[in-house]
């Protein structure tokens, strides 16, 4: 982002200038990240993570889509392969600004998650509402969003699909620490009568060159409701994922 001193108006919810008009050119911007860990010898395990992030910003619209997959498996002393993690997360969002370069917008959001080890075969959400962007300075901003929605959760133990009205709250913090480093954090919670699902993704990215970067990320996923599985296992309410990945931007 452009550097320079911040004027007094950047510390307000003003609807005149956005963070970086130069990036509102309508071009799609994409990044792909990959991380692989293979261990052999006394421990035989493999884990890998892949993620694609697509973004587009125009004078009136912001779009973003994410595909995130993580898997971890290991072999026991008996030679059996055990899956310790297998999760696919998809999301897409569009924000329609009130006017050109406005900080305020209406949003529509959808997500789908398939985690082989939690209580649900899948969890999906559709929500919409109001969003606004707060600019701290030229290198730091935060998006805040709130709105109603519907969740669809298919239980793994019974095969039933629970439909629940929810309220979605989300914030997306972006800090360009320096020309070569950046910190981002996305926090969301979807509050319903049957279950409240929360997700937090924190990432620190350090550029290696104009295209490649190294990223350290922490992903937390929490469900307030879990169910005992047919094998007697009770899934944990909180899942954590720590990853070091190589990111390619194009």
């Amino acid at each position: 982002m452009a550097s320079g001193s911040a004027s007094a108006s950047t510390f307000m919810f003003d609807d005149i200038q956005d963070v970086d008009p130069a990036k509102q050119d309508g071009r799609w911007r994409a990044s792909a990240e990959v991380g692989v860990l293979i261990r052999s010898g006394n421990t035989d395990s493999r884990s890998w993570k892949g993620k694609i992030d697509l973004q587009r910003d125009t004078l009136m619209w912001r779009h973003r889509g994410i595909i995130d997959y993580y898997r971890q498996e290991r072999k026991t002393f008996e030679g059996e392969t055990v899956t310790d993690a297998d999760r696919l997360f998809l999301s897409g969002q569009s924000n329609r600004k009130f006017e050109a370069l406005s900080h305020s917008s209406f949003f529509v959001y959808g997500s789908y998650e398939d985690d082989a080890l939690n209580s649900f075969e899948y969890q999906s959400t559709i929500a919409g509402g109001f969003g606004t962007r707060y600019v701290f300075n030229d290198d730091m901003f935060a998006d805040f969003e709130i709105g109603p929605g519907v969740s669809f959760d298919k239980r793994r133990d019974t095969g039933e699909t629970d439909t629940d009205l929810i309220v979605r709250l989300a914030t997306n913090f972006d800090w360009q620490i320096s020309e070569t480093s950046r910190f981002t954090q996305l926090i969301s919670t979807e509050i319903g009568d049957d279950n409240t699902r929360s997700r937090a993704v924190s990432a620190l990215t350090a550029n290696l060159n104009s295209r490649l970067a190294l990223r350290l990320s922490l992903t937390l996923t929490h469900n307030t409701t879990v169910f005992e599985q047919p094998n007697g296992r009770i899934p944990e309410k909180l899942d954590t994922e720590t990853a070091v990945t190589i990111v390619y931007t194009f």
Side-chain angles (χ1 to χ4, degrees), residues 51-69:
K51 184 175 181 179
I52 297 176
D53 191 338
L54 300 172
Q55 299 185 49
R56 184 172 184 247
D57 202 346
T58 70
L59 294 180
M60 296 298 298
W61 289 90
R62 283 198 304 269
H63 305 287
R64 186 174 189 182
I66 293 175
I67 304 173
D68 190 350
Y69 180 71

Side-chain angles (χ1 to χ4, degrees), residues 9-26:
S9 62
T10 61
F11 293 91
M12 302 171 60
F13 288 102
D14 87 69
D15 289 327
I16 300 176
Q17 291 294 323
D18 215 322
V19 176
D20 191 351
K23 291 188 177 180
Q24 299 172 345
D25 52 13

